[in-house]
Amino acid sequence: MSRLHDIVENHEQLGQLNAVLTHYGVNAAFVAASLLQAFEQEKENEEQPEPNQDLITDLKQLVATY
């Protein structure tokens, strides 16, 4: 039950974050580029787990469309 609770809570938090970002006019290209930059910085730190490669590929494609 804890995992399900975490999933639902994360979904709610992402919805709230989306509302704030939308309110201030932050677009998807900015968010995607920021995530890619953060993943690249984490990649340099070997202690961090490797991010999902499919997510990185999808974000790169999204950024390329803007």
Side-chain angles (χ1 to χ4, degrees):
M1 192 67 172
S2 175
R3 184 171 187 274
L4 180 58
H5 179 269
D6 291 344
I7 291 170
V8 171
E9 183 178 344
N10 188 52
H11 179 73
E12 290 171 355
Q13 291 172 351
L14 287 174
Q16 293 169 353
L17 176 61
N18 183 50
V20 171
L21 293 175
T22 302
H23 175 77
Y24 286 102
V26 177
N27 63 26
F30 174 80
V31 173
S34 298
L35 284 171
L36 284 171
Q37 182 179 15
F39 286 147
E40 287 174 4
Q41 289 174 350
E42 283 184 6
K43 194 181 213 181
E44 295 171 2
N45 184 358
E46 293 180 14
E47 295 176 12
Q48 297 290 333
E50 187 172 326
N52 186 329
Q53 192 59 42
D54 291 336
L55 173 59
I56 292 174
T57 301
D58 291 345
L59 288 172
K60 287 180 179 179
Q61 289 177 354
L62 179 64
V63 169
T65 62
Y66 290 105

